């Protein structure tokens, strides 16, 4: 978001006041997110366990999308789709 904001400002799509206000807002959100992640990684659960869960959830989402594509292209019937989902 910050890169896009810089790009829009350099292209003169937004004025300096808007740029400063939005940059402050999104920089604060980024800093808060970074602090939140650092806090989360330092909690009692190990960071490796947390990262493994995040990767597993991401992979599950990808698998669901491929399953949906198989169903849409009629390569799998509705009954098997529901079972696998």
């Amino acid at each position: 978001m910050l890169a896009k904001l810089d790009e829009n400002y350099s292209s003169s799509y937004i004025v300096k006041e808007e740029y400063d206000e939005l940059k402050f807002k999104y920089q604060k959100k980024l800093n808060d997110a970074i602090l939140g992640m650092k806090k989360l990684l330092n909690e009692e659960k190990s960071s490796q366990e947390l990262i493994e869960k995040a990767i597993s959830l991401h992979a599950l989402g990808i698998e669901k999308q491929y399953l949906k594509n198989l169903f849409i292209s009629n390569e799998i019937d509705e009954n098997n789709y529901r079972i696998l989902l």
Side-chain angles (χ1 to χ4, degrees):
M1 187 64 200
L2 290 172
K4 188 69 171 173
L5 185 62
D6 289 339
E7 182 182 316
N8 285 336
Y9 178 67
S10 65
S11 299
S12 299
Y13 293 139
I14 58 176
V15 296
K16 176 82 169 134
E17 293 80 22
E18 290 175 331
Y19 171 76
D20 291 339
E21 184 179 327
L22 290 171
K23 184 165 183 167
F24 177 78
K25 175 184 172 182
Y26 288 114
Q27 188 66 52
K28 183 176 180 341
K29 286 184 180 251
L30 176 63
N31 291 341
D32 290 345
I34 290 170
L35 288 175
M37 278 304 283
K38 285 181 180 178
K39 181 183 173 194
L40 188 63
L41 291 174
N42 289 329
E43 286 183 358
E44 48 194 66
K45 289 186 177 182
S46 73
S47 57
Q48 181 177 351
E49 190 176 309
L50 183 64
I51 292 169
E52 286 174 359
K53 285 183 180 181
I55 291 172
S56 291
L57 284 174
H58 183 67
L60 184 60
I62 292 170
E63 289 174 350
K64 283 183 175 182
Q65 184 61 42
Y66 278 107
L67 180 61
K68 181 180 172 185
N69 290 344
L70 287 173
F71 179 69
I72 289 171
S73 62
N74 291 324
E75 293 184 36
I76 186 173
D77 63 16
E78 184 175 357
N79 187 37
N80 287 329
Y81 173 77
R82 290 178 189 255
I83 292 170
L84 291 173
L85 188 61

